[in-house]
C-alpha cells in the first residue's frame, strides 16, 4: 500500500532570467512530441500547504499523457543514468511493482550502454500507450525539474554509490526553498 503525502518537499522557483518561468517542448525518440511542456509552470508548496504539489502533479500527468482519473494515485519518479552501477534490474522491478500496487511511474533516463538502451526501449514500447507508465529515454534537465516537482516519491537505486547527484540535488532544493 502506498502512503499519500510521502513526498519530498521541494519548490521550484521560476527564474525569469533563465527561462521566463516556462519550459520548452521536448522531443522524444521517433519524432513523437510530448504535449507542450512550455505551458508547465511550477507551483510552490510546503509541508503545510500541498496545493502546489497537486497542481504540479496534475500538470505533469496531462503533459505526459498519464491518467488523472484518480488524483490520489501516487506518482513514483526516477531520474537516472541507465547504467549497471545504478542497478537497472531494480528500476525494472520498481516499474512493474509500482504498477502492481496501483501507482504511476515516470522514468527519465539516458543510457550509454546499447544492450541496456535496447532493453529499456522494449519496456518503453510495451508501455507506450499505458495510462500509468511513462519512460522517457534521454537526458533533459528541465524535464527532470518538472518530474521532481510532480512526483510523490522517488527511487534512487544504486549498487555501490552511497550518495549521488540526485540525492544532493534533492537536498539542495529542500534547503534553498525552506528558508
Amino acid at each position: 500500500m502506498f502512503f499519500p503525502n510521502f513526498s519530498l518537499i521541494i519548490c521550484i522557483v521560476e527564474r525569469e532570467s533563465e527561462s521566463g518561468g516556462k519550459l520548452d517542448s521536448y522531443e522524444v525518440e521517433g519524432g513523437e512530441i510530448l504535449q507542450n511542456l512550455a505551458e508547465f509552470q511550477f507551483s510552490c508548496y510546503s509541508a503545510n500547504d500541498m496545493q502546489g504539489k497537486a497542481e504540479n502533479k496534475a500538470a505533469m500527468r496531462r503533459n505526459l499523457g498519464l491518467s488523472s482519473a484518480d488524483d490520489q494515485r501516487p506518482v513514483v519518479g526516477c531520474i537516472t543514468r541507465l547504467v549497471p552501477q545504478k542497478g537497472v534490474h531494480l528500476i525494472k522491478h520498481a516499474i512493474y511493482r509500482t504498477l502492481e500496487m496501483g501507482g504511476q511511474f515516470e522514468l527519465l533516463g539516458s543510457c550509454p550502454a546499447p544492450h541496456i538502451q535496447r532493453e529499456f526501449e522494449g519496456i518503453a514500447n510495451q508501455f507506450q500507450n499505458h495510462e500509468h507508465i511513462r519512460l522517457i529515454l534521454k537526458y533533459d534537465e528541465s524535464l527532470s525539474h518538472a518530474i521532481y516537482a510532480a512526483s510523490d516519491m522517488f527511487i534512487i537505486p544504486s549498487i555501490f554509490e552511497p550518495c549521488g547527484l540526485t540525492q544532493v540535488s534533492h537536498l539542495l532544493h529542500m534547503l534553498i526553498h525552506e528558508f
Side-chain angles (χ1 to χ4, degrees):
M1 184 73 192
F2 283 111
F3 299 97
N5 299 327
F6 198 84
S7 62
L8 293 173
I9 308 303
I10 57 175
C11 175
I12 307 296
V13 176
E14 299 172 354
R15 291 184 171 88
E16 291 185 34
S17 63
E18 293 176 9
S19 67
K22 294 186 177 185
L23 301 175
D24 294 327
S25 297
Y26 298 98
E27 209 171 319
V28 293
E29 229 170 270
E32 178 187 349
I33 302 287
L34 293 178
Q35 291 180 14
N36 193 351
L37 285 178
E39 299 304 315
F40 188 85
Q41 301 241 352
F42 297 107
S43 297
C44 294
Y45 59 93
S46 70
N48 296 326
D49 181 7
M50 295 295 288
Q51 181 59 37
K53 171 60 126 189
E55 293 167 5
N56 291 338
K57 196 165 151 181
M60 183 56 68
R61 282 178 166 149
R62 193 172 45 254
N63 289 319
L64 293 181
L66 296 172
S67 172
S68 58
D70 178 4
D71 65 353
Q72 296 302 306
R73 185 180 294 268
V75 175
V76 178
C78 180
I79 301 165
T80 190
R81 288 177 304 115
L82 296 167
V83 295
Q85 78 185 52
K86 297 294 186 180
V88 291
H89 66 289
L90 299 171
I91 297 168
K92 291 187 302 186
H93 178 75
I95 293 168
Y96 292 100
R97 186 72 172 138
T98 299
L99 185 59
E100 181 182 297
M101 294 186 71
Q104 293 180 315
F105 196 93
E106 303 169 339
L107 168 74
L108 175 63
S110 60
C111 182
H115 69 285
I116 296 173
Q117 178 72 25
R118 284 190 300 275
E119 188 174 8
F120 275 86
E121 285 172 352
I123 297 169
N125 288 334
Q126 176 187 350
F127 290 113
Q128 181 177 355
N129 296 315
H130 200 282
E131 63 183 351
H132 300 303
I133 305 288
R134 205 56 77 232
L135 277 68
I136 302 155
L137 302 176
K138 66 177 194 163
Y139 172 79
D140 190 313
E141 186 176 346
S142 296
L143 181 55
S144 73
H145 292 295
I147 292 173
Y148 287 142
S151 297
D152 294 303
M153 56 192 96
F154 286 88
I155 64 160
I156 308 171
S158 180
I159 299 300
F160 58 82
E161 184 178 63
C163 183
L165 291 176
T166 301
Q167 293 93 324
V168 172
S169 176
H170 288 311
L171 177 61
L172 289 174
H173 278 292
M174 289 188 301
L175 292 174
I176 289 169
H177 301 296
E178 282 294 316
F179 299 104

